[in-house]
Amino acid sequence: MSLIVQKFGGTSVGSLERIARVATRIRSARDRGHDVVVVVSAMSGETDRLLDLARRAQERPDLRELDVLLSTGEQVTIALLAMTLQESGCAARSYTGHQVRIGTDSAHTRARIVHIDDQRIRADLAQGRVVVVAGFQGEDEKGDITTLGRGGSDTTAVALAAALGAHECQIHTDVDGVYTTDPRVVAEARRLEVLTFEEMLELASLGAKVLQIRSVEFASKYGVPLRVLSTFEDGPGTLIGPDREDNPMEQPLISGVAFNRDEAKITVLGVQDRPGVAFSILGPVADENIEVDMIVQNSGADGTTDFTFTVHRNDYARTLQIVRERTSQWRASEVTGDDRIVKISLVGVGMRSHAGIASRMFRALAAESINIQMISTSEIKISVVVDEKYLELGVRALHTAFGLEENGALEGGVSR
Ligand code: ADP
Ligand code: ASP
Ligand code: MG
């Protein structure tokens, strides 16, 4: 009998009716002869509701207590799903992260899984039970509850699949696979049949929230085949694995367009152009554990230069404050900021060996009169920062320019 791990996201368990549909899916996997371990998220909106309560109780919520609070969402759904399964005649048992012993480090609200004790799960499977595990949570060495960051149930599922040597990890959600871009923004987006870990990692890290980045890192590290599927409809979904099964020569140039609405930028104008300036601007930001994404420094003139970088929007106010406090130190003339920007990225391992992608991208944006504020490139992606009002227009323009839509084909071809 092969073992599969099935994860169901918040929308999929958003009501008792939906939980009943999830139970039907699980039973049909059992009927097909699989052992099943299930991971569930909190009911849709629940984690946001708890976060909001925490912020009302304490201005900067204590992270240990926040984890105690946030982990309750998943505890509700595991019990309700186990009850629903039992009610339909399917033996099932639920476990919190603490009960399984999903061991993590102590980085509250963004903990990493370091160990999974699979004993109880294996014993239940041997007894013919479906095992339902709470996503997004674990416990650290001291026995304190931790959570894995937003979207962390994906990572719980993949980590369990790796620990149990599962045949496949299925991520059931409210779309029927990974698309060339968010299908809620571009209706013509196309479902991808297969995707490499590398491509999915890039899409996820550039904003495609269909999978938590860490879950893809985990799957890639342990070689767990990952499939994204709809909870509500049957279909093959998208298979993410080490290699494409099709002919590598047919590898598409571009796999998709990702975007991130969570960006904000800060510019230090007229800083002295001398060694150590970048370090002295970004050092204090890093010391506050604020992650910096893109960095651009203009070529200097008159011994001064401008320095721009982006951070998560949640860190914008704090970063601006840190930088402004030090303006005189660099003799900068001014510090400006903008938290109404977004990052749009074109992703594809195929672009590695292909010239002209950037110019095609910039032409498509120019044709829509979209001003590019920052650019960054790597071997397999090109990202631009633009005003947030151009998000939808920009994503659509690129999607069309690279022929990514359903049945889309471009002169010059999108395959190499
Ligand atoms: P869940 O609650 O099941 O974890 P999420 O909301 O985390 O679901 O992820 C699914 C959502 O990801 C979809 O509803 C879709 O809007 C969004 N999404 C963003 N980019 C993509 C993409 N490239 N392909 C599919 N879905 C995407
Ligand atoms: N409930 C958590 C969240 O909303 C974890 C998850 O859904 O994956 O982020
Ligand atoms: Mg999710």
Side-chain angles (χ1 to χ4, degrees):
M1 224 193 211
S2 71
L3 170 71
I4 55 172
V5 174
Q6 298 192 312
K7 178 255 171 178
F8 296 89
T11 320
S12 310
V13 293
S15 64
L16 278 181
E17 291 70 31
R18 291 193 168 177
I19 290 176
R21 286 168 77 174
V22 165
T24 308
R25 285 232 163 247
I26 296 166
R27 284 203 319 274
S28 83
R30 293 260 302 168
D31 293 344
R32 288 196 304 274
H34 296 295
D35 274 341
V36 187
V37 173
V38 182
V39 173
V40 280
S41 294
M43 291 167 115
S44 50
E46 179 62 8
T47 308
D48 287 334
R49 189 185 74 86
L50 294 169
L51 260 177
D52 181 56
L53 282 176
R55 290 192 184 121
R56 281 160 53 198
Q58 191 175 21
E59 200 187 331
R60 290 177 81 173
D62 179 83
L63 298 183
R64 181 189 178 280
E65 302 313 323
L66 190 56
D67 276 352
V68 174
L69 180 72
L70 294 184
S71 64
T72 62
E74 273 71 11
Q75 189 166 341
V76 170
T77 42
I78 53 168
L80 290 175
L81 178 58
M83 289 174 193
T84 309
L85 283 163
Q86 289 173 9
E87 191 66 12
S88 68
C90 176
R93 188 169 275 176
S94 74
Y95 290 101
T96 63
H98 156 78
Q99 288 173 308
V100 174
R101 198 139 206 296
I102 296 184
T104 71
D105 61 19
S106 298
H108 286 289
T109 73
R110 53 191 167 85
R112 281 180 185 274
I113 297 177
V114 289
H115 172 77
I116 291 184
D117 183 352
D118 59 6
Q119 260 185 345
R120 296 186 82 173
I121 298 180
R122 288 201 192 275
D124 278 320
L125 291 173
Q127 300 278 323
R129 296 191 184 102
V130 168
V131 180
V132 185
V133 180
F136 174 59
Q137 57 178 262
E139 67 165 357
D140 70 4
E141 258 179 12
K142 292 175 291 203
D144 281 337
I145 298 175
T146 53
T147 64
L148 311 180
R150 299 307 303 266
S153 300
D154 297 333
T155 302
T156 307
V158 177
L160 276 170
L164 295 164
H167 166 71
E168 188 170 281
C169 182
Q170 301 181 345
I171 306 289
H172 294 257
T173 183
D174 54 8
V175 285
D176 64 351
V178 179
Y179 278 70
T180 46
T181 193
D182 189 338
R184 295 184 201 288
V185 170
V186 179
E188 299 77 25
R190 179 168 46 86
R191 183 175 56 80
L192 298 159
E193 292 283 334
V194 285
L195 209 56
T196 63
F197 286 131
E198 195 183 9
E199 285 166 317
M200 189 62 234
L201 202 56
E202 205 71 15
L203 282 173
S205 60
L206 292 167
K209 291 187 176 135
V210 60
L211 286 173
Q212 197 196 33
I213 304 166
R214 281 187 187 169
S215 71
V216 189
E217 284 169 356
F218 232 104
S220 164
K221 185 167 169 194
Y222 294 98
V224 178
L226 199 56
R227 195 183 288 277
V228 177
L229 300 154
S230 163
T231 303
F232 308 108
E233 293 158 32
D234 289 327
T238 300
L239 181 64
I240 302 146
D243 288 308
R244 289 168 177 280
E245 280 163 19
D246 51 354
N247 182 347
M249 292 306 289
E250 289 300 313
Q251 187 126 32
L253 198 54
I254 306 297
S255 47
V257 182
F259 53 84
N260 189 344
R261 302 177 203 261
D262 299 329
E263 301 260 332
K265 76 168 182 181
I266 288 168
T267 301
V268 190
L269 290 158
V271 282
Q272 282 187 313
D273 195 10
R274 59 172 169 76
V277 164
F279 172 66
S280 72
I281 295 174
L282 297 179
V285 175
D287 289 345
E288 290 281 318
N289 274 327
I290 295 171
E291 251 178 68
V292 170
D293 181 12
M294 287 162 92
I295 304 171
V296 172
Q297 185 183 324
N298 288 348
S299 60
D302 314 328
T304 68
T305 186
D306 301 338
F307 191 88
T308 304
F309 62 98
T310 64
V311 293
H312 193 286
R313 257 185 221 189
N314 290 347
D315 295 323
Y316 175 64
R318 178 84 194 104
T319 311
L320 205 52
Q321 189 190 356
I322 294 169
V323 174
R324 285 206 164 126
E325 276 163 8
R326 288 167 178 79
T327 316
S328 58
Q329 186 181 320
W330 315 304
R331 309 217 184 104
S333 56
E334 205 188 344
V335 177
T336 61
D338 186 354
D339 63 349
R340 303 196 153 271
I341 56 155
V342 291
K343 183 169 74 174
I344 305 179
S345 308
L346 205 56
V347 179
V349 292
M351 72 168 77
R352 206 168 249 159
S353 54
H354 218 94
I357 305 287
S359 68
R360 197 191 286 178
M361 177 177 186
F362 302 154
R363 188 174 58 199
L365 295 171
E368 299 292 347
S369 306
I370 299 174
N371 183 41
I372 301 171
Q373 302 180 16
M374 295 170 85
I375 300 169
S376 90
T377 63
S378 81
E379 263 198 314
I380 69 166
K381 70 114 206 287
I382 304 169
S383 302
V384 294
V385 164
V386 300
D387 190 310
E388 69 173 9
K389 71 179 177 216
Y390 295 127
L391 174 71
E392 276 86 5
L393 184 62
V395 172
R396 276 197 208 107
L398 296 182
H399 202 266
T400 309
F402 286 89
L404 297 177
E405 57 275 89
E406 200 79 63
N407 305 320
L410 188 77
E411 31 40 269
V414 287
S415 297
R416 62 183 167 139

